[in-house]
Amino acid sequence: MGSFWNTRATHLVCEVNNVEDTPTAGTPPRNGTWKKHLIHLFPVPAILFYTLFIVYPIFAAFTYSLFEWKGLVMGRFNNFDNFIRLFTQEPYHTMFWRALRHNLYYFVVEMVVQNGIAFGLAYLIFRKIKGASFFKVAYFLPRLLSVIIVGFLWKLILNPNMGILNAALRKIGLESFTTAWLGNPDTALTAVVLINSWFAIGFYMLILLAGLQSIPEEVMEAARLDGATGFRLIRSVVLPMMFQPMVIVIVMTFIQSFEAFELVFAMQGSTGEPFYSTDLLAVFFYRTAFGGNSGDTGSLGIGSALAVVLFAIIAIISAVFMKYVNHKETA
Amino acid sequence: MKKIKFMSTVLLPLATAVALSACGGNNTSNGSSASSNTGGSASPDAKVTVSITSWRAEASEQEFYKQLQAELNKTAPEIVIDYQPVKATEYNTSLNVALSTDTAADIIHLRPYAAGTAIADAGYLEPIDDLKGLDVFTPEQLKAAQGSDGKQYGVPYMLSSTQILYNKDIFAKYNLQEPKTWDEFIKLADTLKSNNVTPLAFGSKEGWVLSLMHGAIAPQFYGHDFVDKFLKGEAKLNSPEYISSIQALKSLQPYFPANFEGLSMEDIRTIFATGQAGMVIDGHFEIASIQALNPEIKIGAFAVPPVKEGDEPSVSTWVDGSFAINKNSKNKEAARKVLEFMTTKEYGSMILGSTKSPSPIPGVSTDDELVNAISDLASQYGQPYFAVTNLNSGNPTTKSTLETDLQGMFLDAMTPEQVAADVQKSADTWFK
């Protein structure tokens, strides 16, 4: 699976993460010039590794996107034809915009539900409610499962015929609310996004908790002495002090929503069933590049073009956002 | 977390790099999945090793090749078979890599129809028009493994068929008989429904199930000559007869389980195996899984009954793969002997007996009553599974367009007419 953008984007976040930790250029060692130069060798393995596994695939995908492909055999150079087909030819054109809309929806729901709850949980744990450490572990637990298992589990729970969700609804007299959760286009995408939130909440909670814990105790103390409590404390003190970790959370959520693949693939197949209602850009990419179902041969050229576009979306938006943030930080 | 991060930062691009670099046309690395075996003439007792690659990697399949070895050695004692299966979902990619790097096996398991034709057209296969025994197959069956040049490249090895399976106990309980006409079939479904038994196990969550089930009943509605007319350009997929075949599938909706939109093949299997439904339109290949869920179930099978009394019933059949010889094989003579063996009754009986699949070779039988019944239906009333035999081209293929469109139809997002128009539009992109 080609998801190099994933790594690139994760890397972006790591860079941001480390902005403050970057040491100011140290003074080079003075004893002997060879030792002075030796220091330049240390990053070589890392650079090689980075080039081979990150720079090369990105470059390769971009190259592939400029050629015509016959199955797995590279054909002649055909300029930006693959990109033009992606944006003008059916069914690619419709599929692209529909998938993009789904990714945006994914992002919005994750921001509101997943990060909202994650912040709430982090804050409760931060305020040391009873059993805080137990909850910390409990909420992180789903993250330890493989995505495939998460998908399988929830498929069982949401199964319209045997699943416990519909069974529970019938038990409490809400029969009319039962539906084919994953087969109904009105509920399928939301179901998948919420399951992903359930899976990821613990991770974001930990990031936000770390942010909360980095707020100096004196600041909180001073605010309390001034009489700030409850929402006032959160709005005027906690949130402004949480700028950095929240930016990280937003960018990571953005990247997560735009590279989302495994859960949909595991639960809804390579066409984003039903009737493309859960189709996402990465699933569309997989189907286009490697052939989805029923003997589709796949089209590596258009797939690569899509990968490049997806990479550009994630890289540019993340970069713009980071730039804005850095600007605001220094201002 | 660190581990997950590591996985995503290192392994994913690594996988990408490997997958993509393997695709390069001038790549010369040896595909580890399949390597040609050149042992043979060197060994003192003149043994020849013939390697066979396939996507069937189950343990039962390995066992089958041991049997095959024993049977084959009765007529060709010098041949040693080296079976090299690859995981089904990775087979196409690994085969393409192996072929383009000249490391493929001597005998290649070909995917049927368009996919096999593409490999033949790329010049990787040896024509076998003069192979002894090919005449046991019908021209329809042979078409599954021909190139665009009309030459034969593969020996068909297994027939798949779709028909209507039913639960014999439920039929006995309500005193029901196998229907002779479509109307009788609908009446039968009504009877089951009025007794609170779901008439048909069905689910539209997975697209491939929809084209499979549509394919099974369609010949009764578009007529037995429709495929020919389509191929000659005299009929189109948006012709009234094809539309009526889609409407027929839609008309069965009242007989489906509740919330069928969310049910996949697994659920369909379970619903039928546990006796919640009386019938299912299904492929023979699901029978083993259904019996695994409920070994007690007594399954019967009947062909899709004709709309007009007196017409022929039908089951849809297709060749599920065939075996071809690698053009660059160093053991072509021995490989031909193996292929010749694959046209014999002995081989046909082995396929029927050990894989419970109808064999295209006529006159073979097993002691499994149901398998024999299906085998008889297939040879008597077989009609091509049109979507696989002829609509599997295009990108996305017309077959997969049909699948998602049918899904849309059951979600009330498309009408049968719109489905027909859309699949014809897809066919227009490649069908000349």
Side-chain angles (χ1 to χ4, degrees):
Chain A
M1 246 306 297
S3 53
F4 57 83
W5 59 83
N6 157 358
T7 25
R8 178 65 194 130
T10 316
H11 181 77
L12 266 177
V13 172
C14 298
E15 273 177 3
V16 171
N17 215 345
N18 293 332
V19 164
E20 286 192 328
D21 308 336
T22 313
T24 43
T27 37
R30 274 164 221 178
N31 42 352
T33 43
W34 70 273
K35 273 188 183 167
K36 190 168 140 193
H37 287 297
L38 194 62
I39 204 162
H40 297 300
L41 285 178
F42 292 149
V44 168
I47 289 172
L48 277 179
F49 209 69
Y50 187 82
T51 312
L52 185 59
F53 296 125
I54 294 171
V55 179
Y56 171 72
I58 293 173
F59 184 73
F62 187 67
T63 316
Y64 293 167
S65 71
L66 299 177
F67 284 81
E68 185 186 281
W69 288 80
K70 284 197 172 113
L72 292 171
V73 183
M74 202 190 246
R76 62 182 178 82
F77 179 76
N78 67 354
N79 241 319
F80 290 101
D81 198 43
N82 289 322
F83 290 90
I84 294 167
R85 283 178 67 191
L86 179 63
F87 287 110
T88 58
Q89 192 180 315
E90 291 299 344
Y92 304 113
H93 170 76
T94 315
M95 284 179 178
F96 178 82
W97 294 108
R98 177 173 49 211
L100 186 69
R101 276 199 308 277
H102 292 164
N103 281 94
L104 280 172
Y105 177 76
Y106 205 107
F107 174 63
V108 171
V109 176
E110 302 257 280
M111 278 306 295
V112 175
V113 179
Q114 168 192 293
N115 297 342
I117 296 177
F119 180 81
L121 294 174
Y123 193 68
L124 287 179
I125 290 171
F126 173 62
R127 298 302 301 270
K128 307 225 164 46
I129 55 156
K130 223 173 173 186
S133 54
F134 167 76
F135 287 116
K136 195 157 77 179
V137 175
Y139 291 124
F140 192 75
L141 268 183
R143 185 78 196 203
L144 300 179
L145 296 172
S146 137
V147 183
I148 305 299
I149 293 174
V150 169
F152 180 72
L153 260 174
W154 280 97
K155 257 165 87 175
L156 287 180
I157 294 173
L158 299 179
N159 186 302
N161 193 37
M162 312 173 288
I164 58 165
L165 181 62
N166 275 357
L169 286 172
R170 277 185 215 111
K171 239 248 137 95
I172 57 172
L174 294 176
E175 173 101 43
S176 58
F177 284 89
T178 61
T179 180
W181 299 101
L182 296 172
N184 181 342
D186 298 332
T187 54
L189 183 60
T190 309
V192 173
V193 183
L194 291 181
I195 291 164
N196 193 68
S197 298
W198 172 81
F199 171 70
I201 251 172
F203 173 68
Y204 288 96
M205 178 193 72
L206 284 192
I207 297 185
L208 291 168
L209 182 60
L212 285 168
Q213 283 164 346
S214 71
I215 299 175
E217 192 48 42
E218 310 86 77
V219 176
M220 296 294 282
E221 193 77 3
R224 269 189 227 113
L225 283 177
D226 286 343
T229 50
F231 272 109
R232 182 65 207 243
L233 182 69
I234 294 178
R235 198 165 54 89
S236 308
V237 181
V238 176
L239 287 182
M241 297 292 290
M242 292 274 289
F243 191 66
Q244 185 92 4
M246 282 205 289
V247 166
I248 291 168
V249 164
I250 293 170
V251 173
M252 285 189 77
T253 308
F254 175 75
I255 292 163
Q256 181 192 297
S257 346
F258 272 76
E259 65 171 30
F261 171 77
E262 298 96 323
L263 197 62
V264 166
F265 187 70
M267 299 181 73
Q268 307 293 75
S270 64
T271 47
E273 283 159 353
F275 200 45
Y276 296 118
S277 65
T278 57
D279 199 21
L280 299 173
L281 286 170
V283 180
F284 174 35
F285 157 75
Y286 179 86
R287 179 173 70 239
T288 311
F290 302 114
N293 47 350
S294 306
D296 290 346
T297 45
S299 162
L300 269 174
I302 296 186
S304 303
L306 177 56
V308 170
V309 171
L310 189 42
F311 169 69
I313 293 176
I314 294 180
I316 292 172
I317 294 190
S318 303
V320 166
F321 198 68
M322 291 334 263
K323 187 104 189 166
Y324 166 76
V325 168
N326 284 341
H327 180 74
K328 232 185 148 173
E329 280 271 284
T330 48
Chain B
M1 245 351 277
K2 233 185 195 136
K3 204 159 181 190
I4 294 168
K5 195 69 117 336
F6 172 78
M7 297 279 278
S8 60
T9 41
V10 177
L11 295 187
L12 283 180
L14 175 66
T16 317
V18 171
L20 292 183
S21 67
C23 307
N26 53 359
N27 191 294
T28 49
S29 74
N30 58 326
S32 56
S33 47
S35 61
S36 83
N37 204 314
T38 49
S41 53
S43 64
D45 49 349
K47 291 266 184 207
V48 188
T49 303
V50 176
S51 54
I52 302 181
T53 186
S54 165
W55 64 83
R56 295 191 178 260
E58 303 84 3
S60 61
E61 205 71 15
Q62 314 253 13
E63 198 50 44
F64 173 74
Y65 278 87
K66 277 186 202 149
Q67 274 181 48
L68 173 67
Q69 173 86 65
E71 276 294 321
L72 176 69
N73 285 154
K74 287 180 188 165
T75 52
E78 75 280 13
I79 295 176
V80 178
I81 289 175
D82 172 19
Y83 188 57
Q84 303 173 338
V86 176
K87 205 175 151 221
T89 48
E90 282 152 27
Y91 180 73
N92 292 14
T93 317
S94 103
L95 178 64
N96 276 318
V97 173
L99 284 171
S100 59
T101 54
D102 196 13
T103 54
D106 300 316
I107 294 179
I108 293 162
H109 201 171
L110 279 190
R111 300 271 192 193
Y113 308 99
T117 305
I119 294 177
D121 289 355
Y124 290 123
L125 305 177
E126 180 80 7
I128 52 161
D129 292 277
D130 54 342
L131 191 85
K132 212 170 76 192
L134 269 188
D135 51 355
V136 301
F137 303 105
T138 68
E140 279 296 323
Q141 292 161 352
L142 289 173
K143 267 186 200 150
Q146 284 171 355
S148 302
D149 54 6
K151 283 186 182 163
Q152 192 65 35
Y153 287 94
V155 177
Y157 100 112
M158 177 191 276
L159 273 187
S160 284
S161 77
T162 42
Q163 51 278 307
I164 302 175
L165 306 176
Y166 66 97
N167 185 322
K168 282 186 168 174
D169 289 338
I170 293 180
F171 268 44
K173 188 171 172 193
Y174 300 109
N175 202 13
L176 301 168
Q177 308 294 324
E178 293 183 6
K180 295 279 171 285
T181 63
W182 185 261
D183 283 343
E184 278 180 40
F185 170 64
I186 296 295
K187 265 192 212 123
L188 200 156
D190 284 326
T191 312
L192 288 172
K193 202 179 171 188
S194 60
N195 286 295
N196 285 326
V197 177
T198 304
L200 284 164
F202 180 88
S204 68
K205 180 146 187 292
E206 291 169 358
W208 71 278
V209 174
L210 300 176
S211 75
L212 185 86
M213 294 191 181
H214 169 258
I217 64 166
Q220 290 303 345
F221 293 86
Y222 56 51
H224 296 356
D225 55 349
F226 176 77
V227 176
D228 272 342
K229 275 170 33 191
F230 174 81
L231 295 176
K232 285 187 198 140
E234 293 163 8
K236 293 203 156 202
L237 299 177
N238 52 2
S239 300
E241 56 266 47
Y242 193 78
I243 295 178
S244 75
S245 74
I246 298 173
Q247 281 164 340
L249 185 66
K250 175 80 176 163
S251 75
L252 294 176
Q253 189 164 334
Y255 306 112
F256 296 160
N259 290 320
F260 66 87
E261 309 93 302
L263 302 176
S264 60
M265 186 52 107
E266 267 170 48
D267 303 308
I268 296 173
R269 218 182 273 150
T270 314
I271 288 172
F272 183 71
T274 52
Q276 297 174 57
M279 303 180 279
V280 61
I281 306 170
D282 216 341
H284 83 276
F285 41 81
E286 285 294 326
I287 293 174
S289 317
I290 293 168
Q291 285 170 335
L293 290 174
N294 177 9
E296 304 289 301
I297 192 170
K298 293 191 195 72
I299 303 174
F302 57 85
V304 177
V307 180
K308 267 187 272 157
E309 213 175 335
D311 274 5
E312 268 210 347
S314 65
V315 302
S316 291
T317 62
W318 66 103
V319 171
D320 203 2
S322 51
F323 285 100
I325 300 176
N326 179 355
K327 194 165 200 172
N328 295 326
S329 159
K330 293 181 182 66
N331 303 308
K332 275 186 204 167
E333 268 320 296
R336 278 181 73 94
K337 275 192 186 170
V338 177
L339 255 52
E340 276 170 17
F341 179 73
M342 288 173 168
T343 67
T344 61
K345 274 194 180 180
E346 288 79 21
Y347 183 78
S349 300
M350 285 168 66
I351 290 287
L352 195 61
S354 75
T355 66
K356 306 261 186 235
S357 297
S359 160
I361 298 165
V364 295
S365 68
T366 140
D367 48 10
D368 188 322
E369 202 186 318
L370 179 59
V371 177
N372 275 335
I374 288 179
S375 197
D376 287 348
L377 290 177
S379 60
Q380 229 182 320
Y381 302 125
Q383 286 285 319
Y385 175 14
F386 185 35
V388 168
T389 57
N390 299 96
L391 300 181
N392 226 344
S393 298
N395 198 350
T397 63
T398 303
K399 177 173 179 277
S400 57
T401 306
L402 173 68
E403 289 165 356
T404 25
D405 285 359
L406 287 175
Q407 206 169 43
M409 177 178 81
F410 283 116
L411 296 168
D412 293 325
M414 284 179 106
T415 64
E417 290 76 14
Q418 286 169 330
V419 173
D422 200 42
V423 287
Q424 177 56 41
K425 208 171 86 191
S426 158
D428 281 337
T429 62
W430 60 271
F431 184 78
K432 311 260 166 2

